[in-house]
Amino acid sequence: MASALRLAYTARIVATRASSRRLLSNSAILREEANLGTVQAQKKPIGGIRGGIIGFLFGFSLASSYAAYHLLDEYQKASAALQASVEELKLSTEKASISTLMLELVSAHVRRIEAVEKDLKALGEASASKDDISRVRAEVKKLYDGLHVEFLDLRAHVWGIQQDLHKLSKREATEVRI
């Protein structure tokens, strides 16, 4: 900014000195005699203040656009990182829910196995052992043998009654009274 002000000051001094000198080409007599042609109007140089403001605005807009570009780039990077984090969280949540489901399935199977083991233990306590079966078998065999002996005794008794009846029927004059 200070250099722009110096430039404007120097341009003003040069313009003042040029107007204070009177050149021969500027005098009315010489101008009529020496028809050198028309002089084209020179463009006014941009003043120091005007140039400083334009430079400042150009620099500011350039810096603003550069900052906006970097800000947008940082925003995109942060957005991509956030999206990746969300995806990772989603995957871990799905893994946790799958693990929870598997744990529930396993615990259900464990409960079923425990129920079957409990039923098996109850049946084991209620069922007879080999010793019990052997003992009952021996008792049944004794009962059967006893019944068989009684049957044979009864058969012998009935046979005896038949023999007696047969003897009585051979006698003609005997009466049977019951």
Side-chain angles (χ1 to χ4, degrees):
M1 182 91 168
S3 62
L5 289 176
R6 275 192 223 138
L7 184 62
Y9 178 71
T10 309
R12 192 178 294 152
I13 291 174
V14 169
T16 310
R17 286 185 188 163
S19 63
S20 64
R21 284 191 216 153
R22 183 168 176 98
L23 300 174
L24 294 176
S25 63
N26 287 345
S27 64
I29 299 170
L30 287 176
R31 210 177 318 152
E32 287 177 11
E33 290 178 6
N35 193 357
L36 299 174
T38 59
V39 177
Q40 293 183 357
Q42 292 182 350
K43 286 186 177 180
K44 286 185 176 180
I46 296 176
I49 293 177
R50 218 168 82 184
I53 291 174
I54 290 174
F56 172 75
L57 290 177
F58 178 72
F60 181 75
S61 63
L62 186 65
S64 298
S65 62
Y66 184 73
Y69 172 75
H70 278 292
L71 184 64
L72 184 62
D73 187 40
E74 287 293 321
Y75 173 75
Q76 288 175 347
K77 287 179 184 176
S79 177
L82 181 63
Q83 184 68 24
S85 175
V86 167
E87 291 296 326
E88 184 179 329
L89 181 62
K90 182 180 175 184
L91 289 175
S92 67
T93 304
E94 288 175 358
K95 285 181 183 177
S97 65
I98 289 171
S99 298
T100 304
L101 289 175
M102 292 300 289
L103 183 62
E104 289 175 3
L105 286 174
V106 168
S107 63
H109 286 296
V110 167
R111 282 192 297 270
R112 288 181 192 159
I113 289 171
E114 288 174 350
V116 168
E117 286 177 350
K118 182 180 175 184
D119 292 343
L120 181 64
K121 186 176 181 182
L123 286 174
E125 291 173 357
S127 65
S129 66
K130 287 185 178 183
D131 294 336
D132 294 339
I133 292 173
S134 298
R135 204 170 340 133
V136 169
R137 183 177 282 165
E139 288 177 14
V140 169
K141 191 173 183 181
K142 285 180 186 178
L143 286 173
Y144 180 73
D145 289 343
L147 286 175
H148 188 59
V149 169
E150 286 180 18
F151 174 71
L152 290 176
D153 288 342
L154 185 61
R155 193 177 202 186
H157 183 64
V158 169
W159 186 74
I161 292 176
Q162 278 180 345
Q163 291 298 326
D164 288 342
L165 186 62
H166 191 36
K167 283 182 191 177
L168 284 176
S169 66
K170 283 190 176 183
R171 281 192 217 166
E172 298 171 338
T174 312
E175 288 183 8
V176 177
R177 289 185 186 177
I178 303 183

